[in-house]
Structures are given as structure tokens and as C-alpha cells.
Amino acid sequence: MSAPRARPRTRPIGSGYTLALGGGGGRGWAHIGVARALEEAGLRPGRIVGTSMGAIVGAGVAAGWSPDAMQRMARQTAVYRLVGRRARFALFDPRPLLERLAEALGDPLIEELPTPLAVSAYDLVAGRPTAITSGRLVDAIERSMAVPFFFPPLCTSEEVWCDAGPWEAVPVSLARAWSTEPVIGVWVDVPKPALLARRPVAALLRRASTRFGVGLGGDPLTARRYLALLAARWAEPVHEEAPDLLIRPRLGFVPAWDFTRVGPMVARGYRDARATLAQAGVSGGVTSAAASMAEHEEELIRAR
């Protein structure tokens, strides 16, 4: 699936913008490199919207963490050691990872963060993404990072929450609904295959959903109901909305489940964000230390 093209800008990005960060698992470490390039260009976001890994990195930016601090934290986090336990309907339990994140960030409420943050999550019952802008930060991130079958869905009284990335790779629509500022979107992974929403496949998915039974809002979440909800929503089309400026790092064939390649992903995000900003005419000066670090990370890329 191709990325949406950026739409023509009517005002300069530097006058204030919303940063929209898509999901992507380990590929999402590239967001840290993008954040570094934006910082060097003097482009501090007025608001941030993040999905899944984009919500985690976005939370760090919103909390005032430097890209260097986020990269150190990423390198020190052994993801699979922290999520090694099985969970209901999923391979892994994210709670130990979320506890570590809460400890590192001071367990804030979203509305307490220095930069306004919206965490994107998808309600399988309602069939739409939601921007969570208040409440405990790690609770919102738990909803946003619930990749089906990888991490468990989060159930509330009426909703069943999961990662919104399969239905919108970059949360541009939520960013535009939240603010009229220009949007810089960062695309690091693809949504679900468009094939699923084509008529023959979508019809099969809807029949499977009916057979399993989606139930009602307050019904308990059984395996059959979870499969029914997923089948019904996978049959729906992917939403594409172009940002004012799209940054799409070239990350190669690194799979989303590989969280070990922090350095190369950060370097590629930084490299391609700088190139995109320069092409758009909004790049700033690069310090010699930052340039040296970029060269070192490029060596890591070539070595791998």
C-alpha cells in the first residue's frame, strides 16, 4: 500500500504544527531520529498524536525527554524479557513493560504533560479510532499498543480497545480533528492489507463475523466474540488522510517485531527526516556532534 502524499501547505510548518506518529513496533524507534531532526531544525510540535509505538515515543517527546535520553532508554529496554509471559488472546503481557515506562516517566496523567498529547486507540465495538487526551498515560498506551494476538485487547464497560494502526497508519485524521495547525506525519509501517477490504474477501470476513457473533457492547469478551469483532473490522477500508508534510524513513525489511535494532532505526529516521525537511525548505542547522553521531549510526546501518 502506498503512503498518502502530503497536501500543499498554505502556511509555514514553523508557525506551529501537530506531530502525528504512526505505529510500527521496533521500526518505530525511527521516530526518535525524526524527533532529533525536528529539534535541530527548531521545530517543536505544539501537539502530538501517536499510535502504538508512536504513542510511546510521542509520550517521551511530550514529557520533555531529549532524543538522546529516549535512545538510551530504548537501548536499555529488553522488550521480550519484560513481556515474556503469555496473556489472554495474545502471545505477550505488556504490563511489566508499561510499569517500567510509568516509572521512567513518573506515571503522569496525559493532561499533566508539558506538550499536549493524544493517544490513538481503536474501539472494535464502535469501529472507529479515538484520541485519548486525559487519564493515566500508561493506561492509554496499553490500549494503543494492543496489536491483535501480540498484546491482549483492553476491555472497558462497553468498548474493546486495540492498536489503531491497521486502520490508519498515521493518525492524521485525529490530528486534524484536534487542531487546525498543519500536520507533520511520520510513516514507519503499513496498515492492514487493502485486499481484506475488497468485496469478495470483505464478504467472507463479514460472514465469519456473523457466524462467530459480535455480541453487544457490554457482553463478556470471549475468543469467539473477539474473532468476530476483528473479522468485522478487518473488512473495513483503511483510512488515508494526507498530512501537510510526510516523513517516511526508508527502513528496509526490518520486521516490526524486531526491537533490537535501536541504533540503525534511529539513524535512518534522522537521516531521512533531515532530507525531507531540507527538501521542504524547513531544515535547520546541524551541530557537529549531531553530525558525528549520524555518521556513526550510518556505519551501524552499513554493518548490518
Side-chain angles (χ1 to χ4, degrees), residues 70-137:
M70 287 190 286
Q71 184 169 355
R72 284 194 299 270
M73 179 70 176
R75 282 176 163 156
Q76 294 166 4
T77 302
V79 172
Y80 286 110
R81 290 183 185 177
L82 289 171
V83 299
R85 297 176 293 176
R86 288 183 62 88
R88 189 168 181 247
F89 307 142
L91 292 172
F92 302 107
D93 182 353
R95 287 176 295 180
L97 179 63
L98 290 165
E99 289 167 7
R100 179 181 175 88
L101 182 63
E103 181 181 359
L105 293 172
D107 200 14
L109 300 176
I110 298 174
E111 57 268 34
E112 294 174 343
L113 296 171
T115 300
L117 173 72
V119 176
S120 169
Y122 193 88
D123 177 13
L124 289 170
V125 176
R128 62 173 178 266
T130 296
I132 304 169
T133 57
S134 63
R136 189 168 177 247
L137 174 61

Side-chain angles (χ1 to χ4, degrees), residues 13 17-21 38 43 182-186 243-245 247 277:
I13 292 290
Y17 70 96
T18 300
L19 180 61
L21 303 175
L38 291 170
L43 296 172
V183 177
I184 294 181
V186 186
D244 294 271
L245 182 65
I247 298 173
L277 292 172

